Amino acid sequence: MKRTKVLVVDDNEQNTELLASKLETDGYETYTAYDGPEALEKVERFTPDLILLDIMMPKMDGYEVCRRLKADEKTRHIPVIMVTARGEVEDKILGLDTGAEDYICKPCSLAEISARVRSILHTRELQIRLGEMEKLAALGQMVDGIAHEVRNPLMVIGGMARHIKEKVTDEQVHGHINLIIREVERLERMVERIDEYKRSQVSILKKEDINEVIKEIVNEIEEDAVSRKEIGIKLALMQKPPLLLIDKANFKKAVLNILQNSVDAIDKKGRIEILTASSKDGYIEIAIKDTGCGINAKELKDVFNPFYTSKMAGAGLGLTIAHKIIRDHKGDVTIESQEGKGTVVSIKLPVKY
């Protein structure tokens, strides 16, 4: 499961290692830097989720580092907590004016820094979710209009094409008409996916055994995976998982969309592995691993965007629907992938809702 990444920047090696050790204990993935230019290089390389930043450093001070981060569209969203011995009011004002989300004066306890990190990350998560909810609400209105406006003309075009096909004997014209019918059918599938997105808007939650639900999902897709390709599906499920509050129909739809992507990503032969496990932070983790073609880094950032698809076939709503449903369950879904090596989709669902 992908861990939250924190970059610790301080020219004092002892302070840096102490902070990094505490954050590793808290479950974060940590990186360290000892001056301003190194900090900017590490941000570029690792894209941390949060930065703990000292001010008094060689080569470039923390104020300038923060200014540059906040001036860059790619990094301005990364929260910065300044941790420094400069405790005058003017110093704090300058730090916050450069864009830092918080300012902590040394000496301070590791417990306090840990709490501030949790608070900032929680606030950031809420902001992201709010933004997603607003985008999804707008998307819901848009796709409803699209489905309504497109459905009737498609029925007319498809019906007329099939009617003409029955009357025409010329083989070349038949080929053109068949192309029209295939493209109409493709657009009809797109409208069906839009309707599916609309139906996933509401989740009715009941207690379910996640292992049993996953077995049902595998039974539904296994025949297709084996018949079309030589794909083996392996289960590695935890013993006696706690019951989870889920909407079974919607959750199955989400996982089926993810599994269908895995099947499509495998050319002729491969395997898919599904694992369930408990995590120490009160979640059940579900990992779906495949040996498919993988996704390159540029495309990976867009996979949850509506209508995105790397295959250019049909509406790319599958992962958008999965993402929406899992978020409705107060869970999270992340994707890690290497082009040519495969993909891992990780789902986290809370044990206590």
Side-chain angles (χ1 to χ4, degrees), residues 130-148:
L130 180 60
E132 288 173 350
M133 288 170 63
E134 290 172 347
K135 286 192 292 185
L136 288 169
L139 175 65
Q141 293 179 342
M142 182 189 73
V143 297
D144 194 22
I146 291 172
H148 178 74

Side-chain angles (χ1 to χ4, degrees), residues 110-142:
L110 292 176
E112 179 186 354
I113 293 176
S114 181
R116 298 281 189 99
V117 168
R118 286 196 306 274
S119 176
I120 292 290
L121 288 172
H122 179 65
T123 301
R124 176 66 182 156
E125 175 67 16
L126 291 177
Q127 290 171 341
I128 291 171
R129 290 197 178 210
L130 180 60
E132 288 173 350
M133 288 170 63
E134 290 172 347
K135 286 192 292 185
L136 288 169
L139 175 65
Q141 293 179 342
M142 182 189 73

Side-chain angles (χ1 to χ4, degrees), residues 1 125 129 132-133 136 197 200-205 210 213-214 217 244-259 283-288 304 317-335 344-351 353:
M1 184 63 66
E125 175 67 16
R129 290 197 178 210
E132 288 173 350
M133 288 170 63
L136 288 169
Y197 176 83
S200 71
Q201 293 292 311
V202 179
S203 292
I204 301 172
L205 308 179
I210 196 67
V213 175
I214 288 172
I217 294 168
L244 300 182
L245 277 172
I246 64 173
D247 182 307
K248 187 174 179 180
N250 272 350
F251 184 75
K252 286 176 68 174
K253 187 186 303 177
V255 177
L256 278 168
N257 277 328
I258 294 168
L259 281 174
Y283 286 80
I284 294 294
E285 301 180 7
I286 304 161
I288 300 171
F304 293 126
L317 279 170
L319 287 177
T320 304
I321 292 169
H323 186 255
K324 168 67 170 61
I325 290 170
I326 291 163
R327 283 302 184 95
D328 280 350
H329 287 73
K330 308 299 182 186
D332 194 19
V333 56
T334 56
I335 298 182
V344 180
V345 180
S346 299
I347 300 169
K348 291 178 70 173
L349 294 175
V351 175
Y353 203 81

Side-chain angles (χ1 to χ4, degrees), residues 68-265:
R68 295 193 184 192
L69 291 171
K70 298 303 180 180
D72 190 331
E73 190 64 35
K74 294 185 295 184
T75 58
R76 65 189 308 172
H77 67 281
I78 303 174
V80 174
I81 302 177
M82 289 186 167
V83 184
T84 175
R86 299 183 65 162
E88 298 298 322
V89 172
E90 293 80 3
D91 298 321
K92 297 177 183 178
I93 291 172
L94 181 57
L96 296 172
D97 281 347
T98 59
E101 276 69 22
D102 204 351
Y103 194 106
I104 304 175
C105 295
K106 301 175 184 176
C108 54
S109 72
L110 292 176
E112 179 186 354
I113 293 176
S114 181
R116 298 281 189 99
V117 168
R118 286 196 306 274
S119 176
I120 292 290
L121 288 172
H122 179 65
T123 301
R124 176 66 182 156
E125 175 67 16
L126 291 177
Q127 290 171 341
I128 291 171
R129 290 197 178 210
L130 180 60
E132 288 173 350
M133 288 170 63
E134 290 172 347
K135 286 192 292 185
L136 288 169
L139 175 65
Q141 293 179 342
M142 182 189 73
V143 297
D144 194 22
I146 291 172
H148 178 74
E149 293 297 329
V150 169
R151 185 178 288 106
N152 288 340
L154 281 180
M155 290 176 62
V156 173
I157 295 168
M160 290 297 294
R162 293 180 183 96
H163 179 69
I164 293 170
K165 182 181 176 181
E166 294 174 358
K167 305 293 184 181
V168 173
T169 57
D170 186 283
E171 288 299 320
Q172 185 177 7
V173 175
H174 261 218
H176 295 323
I177 294 173
N178 284 335
L179 177 60
I180 293 171
I181 292 171
R182 285 198 303 273
E183 291 303 301
V184 166
E185 288 173 347
R186 187 169 71 89
L187 289 171
E188 286 173 342
R189 288 194 296 273
M190 181 182 289
V191 172
E192 288 173 7
R193 298 308 298 276
I194 290 171
D195 285 338
E196 181 184 350
Y197 176 83
K198 289 165 56 183
R199 292 193 297 271
S200 71
Q201 293 292 311
V202 179
S203 292
I204 301 172
L205 308 179
K206 295 181 181 179
K207 286 187 176 182
E208 301 283 356
D209 183 324
I210 196 67
N211 285 353
E212 295 303 315
V213 175
I214 288 172
K215 289 175 185 176
E216 289 181 24
I217 294 168
V218 170
N219 287 337
E220 290 183 28
I221 201 169
E222 195 165 29
E223 183 178 345
D224 178 56
V226 173
S227 63
R228 288 200 294 125
K229 304 174 182 180
E230 294 181 53
I231 299 176
I233 301 179
K234 178 184 175 183
L235 297 180
L237 306 179
M238 65 185 292
Q239 295 293 318
K240 298 180 179 178
L243 296 179
L244 300 182
L245 277 172
I246 64 173
D247 182 307
K248 187 174 179 180
N250 272 350
F251 184 75
K252 286 176 68 174
K253 187 186 303 177
V255 177
L256 278 168
N257 277 328
I258 294 168
L259 281 174
Q260 190 60 61
N261 270 29
S262 291
V263 171
D264 292 342

